[in-house]
Amino acid sequence: MAVTAVFVLSLVLSTYGFLLDNAPTSSENSLFNSQYTGNGETPLYWRNRAKSDLDNSIKNQPIIGKAKNTIIMLGDGMSMTTVTSARILKGQLNGKTGEETILSWETFPNLALSKTYTQDYTTPDSAGTATAFLSGVKTNKGVIGVDASVPRGHCDPSPTHQLSTILDWSLAEGKSVGIVTTARITHATPSSAYAHVADRGWEGDHYTQHVTGGCKDIALQLVEDNPNIQVLMGGGRRFFLPYTAQDPESGSNTHYGRRDGRDLIKEWENDKTARNMSHKYVWNSKQFHQTNFSQLDYFLGLFDSSSMAYELDRFDTHYEVAGEPSLAEMTEAAITILQKNPKGFFLLVEGGKIDLAHHGNHAVKALHETLAFNDAVAKMDSMTNDRDTLAVVTADHSHTMVLAGYPARGNDILGLIKNSAGKLELAKDHKPLTSLIYGTGPGAWSGIRPDLTGVNTDDKEYVSESAIPFNPSTHAGEDVVIYAKGPMSHLFHATHEQNYIPHVLAFAKPPSYNRKPPSYNRKPPSYNRKPPSYNRKPPSYKRKPPSYNRKPPSYNRKPPSYNRKPPSYNRKPPSYNRKPPS
């Protein structure tokens, strides 16, 4: 097998060398020439670019070792179409055609696909998927941190069916942990790291006041049951304040406020004070930017009553008055606090508003949220080291947005489709269309499709067209991509079940992470200690029997009747070669 591999590699390299030797040199032709379409890229340009990619691939070697830090950067609803479209938008915002641009995570050396279905649904939601990529176990749609034996909405507070997560495993090893999101901190993805509920909607006791069985709401679980999460940033203030309180930004908290009258923010502060831990709570941008994060042990930032503002609305006073930090700024603050722990840290960062924008068919907002997520990943990358940090960028599920039609290279990704001659492309109804459309959502029309001529489809409030009316738009069920770098990131290499992700993170951590705490579902010893027959292959596997290595003569020499075809096969009969006279 080794000889075959060497032969194949030598053949590939020799072919590659031949192509390069016969490629035009820069003296024969430039990299760009106006006689070529697009940006004028010549054949030499494409060969040089491919050579550069190949050189980088050859140099890339797996980092075999243990990860001190593990990070999951989650783009909620970040489908492949979303990635492609955001890549193009990023380039166009920088004066380029866009298609040739790359996003920050697209330089990561290892990629795989993630199968996102839940145990009971083909197309998933964020609760079931987050439970999978954080606990390592697939479960039902709509539940958080419990296994698939728990029906949605059935209150069962016993720990029997509760699932521990990568956050729990990290805390058990003395590591620091943090969660950052642009959604509510009690929303499906962030809460799947710490909560256990039979319904993702139980974010506050406003929703559980009529639920019997003694189940805690998610906000209460965060403060009461998870006092050691050092960094918490996102939205969702309304579930932490009593219903009699005034929200500092939105005013009355009567509808969603806590029915038990408790102020969970104050309780969080009191716990840290009692434990003599340096801490700070903030709720606006000014307080955030006045904070010295390197001096803190604990930090809580709740920047909105509900989810945080869209990136395009952060500086729009019609939507945001007090101001909010960006996802990149929150990521930087989180790593600054967490990296002080010599044992390392686990961090979950979610670009949660990508999904919310897609649900409203707001392609413009969805792509700008993806670019904000791009900046957060770039910030994470600049603050960490590939030798000791395993970083994973992925999505929880897809959306129904597609990039369709035949737009010319460099066509405004958010605009109407134009061909290479600059003329609008028209559909069968003789009306223009945009490149980005949805399969489902509020953008569907009834009756005659409207004429988009003169419509500003780049406006952030524009609702993209959809084929089937749904409000909100549904998720989609196709695979999403896993991008990874750092120690053992090469283990992401194929099409994996989504629950595979935290198992790789656990395997990549120092030796103590290979001895998982008992709370990890109490797996039997046979899971932790593989039997000898697994670790040492039997001799019969290493030394193949002679009959396998030496093929019998009858196999090596084909019989004469096989090598010489009969005359009737080689010579067709005359009646076949000569057609009868007409």
Side-chain angles (χ1 to χ4, degrees):
M1 183 177 290
V3 174
T4 302
V6 171
F7 171 75
V8 172
L9 180 59
S10 63
L11 179 63
V12 170
L13 291 177
S14 63
T15 304
Y16 174 57
F18 173 80
L19 290 173
L20 290 181
D21 291 341
N22 288 274
T25 63
S26 56
S27 60
E28 297 172 7
N29 204 344
S30 63
L31 297 177
F32 300 94
N33 191 309
S34 60
Q35 77 180 75
Y36 294 92
T37 59
N39 292 328
E41 298 94 339
T42 65
L44 178 62
Y45 168 86
W46 293 115
R47 283 183 171 140
N48 283 354
R49 180 157 183 170
K51 180 181 182 299
S52 176
D53 286 348
L54 182 57
D55 288 342
N56 290 333
S57 297
I58 293 171
K59 293 175 185 177
N60 178 49
Q61 296 295 324
I63 301 176
I64 307 298
K66 299 299 180 180
K68 175 183 175 183
N69 313 309
T70 51
I71 300 173
I72 295 179
M73 305 282 293
L74 191 284
D76 197 326
M78 192 175 70
S79 63
M80 267 307 303
T81 301
T82 305
V83 172
T84 302
S85 303
R87 176 198 306 148
I88 294 172
L89 178 60
K90 177 186 176 184
Q92 292 179 350
L93 290 175
N94 286 282
K96 300 178 180 179
T97 49
E99 293 84 354
E100 67 288 337
T101 308
I102 59 172
L103 297 171
S104 56
W105 58 83
E106 293 184 298
T107 61
F108 289 14
N110 298 292
L111 284 79
L113 292 178
S114 173
K115 297 163 68 175
T116 64
Y117 67 93
T118 58
Q119 194 146 327
D120 56 345
Y121 277 80
T122 302
T123 300
D125 79 322
S126 294
T129 54
T131 298
F133 67 73
L134 290 169
S135 75
V137 177
K138 287 216 174 198
T139 189
N140 296 329
K141 176 176 175 284
V143 303
I144 288 174
V146 294
D147 62 38
S149 68
V150 178
R152 183 171 184 175
H154 177 72
C155 175
D156 183 1
S158 69
T160 308
H161 305 291
Q162 294 179 0
L163 301 169
S164 61
T165 68
I166 185 71
L167 182 142
D168 298 317
W169 312 336
S170 300
L171 284 173
E173 295 300 322
K175 293 182 179 291
S176 296
V177 297
I179 301 172
V180 174
T181 180
T182 51
R184 296 185 294 274
I185 199 70
T186 51
H187 207 246
T189 297
S191 66
S192 293
Y194 61 83
H196 310 279
V197 292
D199 195 313
R200 58 176 289 179
W202 295 349
E203 295 185 58
D205 67 352
H206 162 76
Y207 295 106
T208 59
Q209 57 183 318
H210 301 301
V211 175
T212 59
C215 289
K216 290 182 181 180
D217 61 89
I218 294 172
L220 186 59
Q221 287 188 42
L222 176 57
V223 174
E224 276 197 347
D225 302 340
N226 296 273
N228 295 319
I229 300 177
Q230 289 182 241
V231 175
L232 292 164
M233 282 185 268
R237 276 195 309 266
R238 61 193 188 188
F239 298 124
F240 294 83
L241 296 173
Y243 74 97
T244 56
Q246 288 287 308
D247 184 89
E249 202 170 13
S250 60
S252 174
N253 200 45
T254 303
H255 184 69
Y256 294 105
R258 299 202 61 78
R259 270 34 187 185
D260 58 15
R262 297 171 65 173
D263 185 337
L264 297 184
I265 296 173
K266 181 62 66 177
E267 291 185 25
W268 180 89
E269 292 179 305
N270 291 341
D271 171 75
K272 307 307 177 275
T273 300
R275 293 158 58 191
N276 198 29
M277 297 290 183
S278 59
H279 63 279
K280 188 173 183 179
Y281 162 70
V282 305
W283 64 270
N284 60 52
S285 178
K286 181 178 179 180
Q287 294 172 342
F288 175 89
H289 288 103
Q290 290 175 342
T291 301
N292 186 345
F293 295 101
S294 63
Q295 300 299 315
L296 291 178
D297 297 319
Y298 287 82
F299 182 75
L300 173 62
L302 297 176
F303 299 104
D304 203 290
S305 176
S306 184
S307 294
M308 294 178 65
Y310 286 108
E311 182 63 19
L312 289 176
D313 294 338
R314 280 203 306 124
F315 301 105
D316 188 336
T317 55
H318 290 92
Y319 298 92
E320 180 58 40
V321 178
E324 298 175 356
S326 68
L327 185 60
E329 290 172 332
M330 292 191 291
T331 301
E332 180 180 15
I335 295 176
T336 300
I337 295 173
L338 299 177
Q339 67 184 358
K340 294 186 298 180
N341 189 336
K343 293 183 178 180
F345 65 83
F346 165 73
L347 175 63
L348 170 63
V349 177
E350 181 199 25
K353 301 280 284 192
I354 302 172
D355 173 74
L356 295 178
H358 277 318
H359 276 304
N361 288 171
H362 290 297
V364 178
K365 289 183 177 180
L367 297 194
H368 280 276
E369 288 301 308
T370 307
L371 293 185
F373 182 69
N374 169 80
D375 294 342
V377 173
K379 176 57 66 175
M380 177 277 298
D381 199 10
S382 70
M383 297 182 69
T384 56
N385 189 321
D386 290 356
R387 306 306 304 182
D388 66 5
T389 301
L390 172 56
V392 170
V393 175
T394 189
D396 49 355
H397 56 75
S398 182
H399 262 279
T400 67
M401 186 180 78
V402 294
L403 176 53
Y406 293 100
R409 174 102 177 261
N411 191 84
D412 179 4
I413 189 62
L414 298 169
L416 300 177
I417 297 178
K418 295 180 181 180
N419 59 26
S420 58
K423 294 183 178 180
L424 287 175
E425 180 177 287
L426 303 180
K428 286 293 185 180
D429 59 3
H430 306 292
K431 297 174 183 177
L433 66 157
T434 56
S435 302
L436 300 178
I437 56 177
Y438 287 83
T440 65
W445 62 91
S446 59
I448 300 175
R449 189 172 76 92
D451 189 345
L452 297 180
T453 303
V455 175
N456 181 13
T457 58
D458 287 73
D459 187 89
K460 66 180 180 179
E461 302 300 338
Y462 173 71
V463 177
S464 300
E465 292 183 298
S466 64
I468 306 297
F470 263 92
N471 196 7
S473 174
T474 68
H475 294 167
E478 67 266 21
D479 298 350
V480 295
V481 185
I482 303 169
Y483 306 84
K485 71 182 186 74
M488 310 308 289
S489 61
H490 63 283
L491 297 179
F492 294 107
H493 64 96
T495 299
H496 303 293
E497 296 288 354
Q498 192 168 46
N499 64 294
Y500 174 77
I501 295 173
H503 290 275
V504 175
L505 269 62
F507 180 79
K509 290 179 179 179
S512 58
Y513 268 85
N514 294 325
R515 298 189 295 273
K516 295 180 181 120
S519 61
Y520 185 78
N521 295 328
R522 299 190 295 277
K523 291 178 179 169
S526 60
Y527 181 89
N528 296 320
R529 295 190 295 273
K530 296 172 182 173
S533 61
Y534 184 89
N535 296 321
R536 295 191 295 274
K537 296 173 181 174
S540 61
Y541 183 87
K542 294 179 177 179
R543 295 191 295 274
K544 296 173 182 174
S547 61
Y548 184 88
N549 295 322
R550 294 192 296 275
K551 296 173 182 175
S554 61
Y555 184 88
N556 295 322
R557 293 192 295 274
K558 296 174 182 175
S561 61
Y562 184 88
N563 295 322
R564 293 192 296 275
K565 295 175 182 176
S568 62
Y569 184 87
N570 295 322
R571 294 192 296 276
K572 296 176 182 176
S575 62
Y576 183 86
N577 295 323
R578 294 193 297 275
K579 295 179 180 178
S582 60

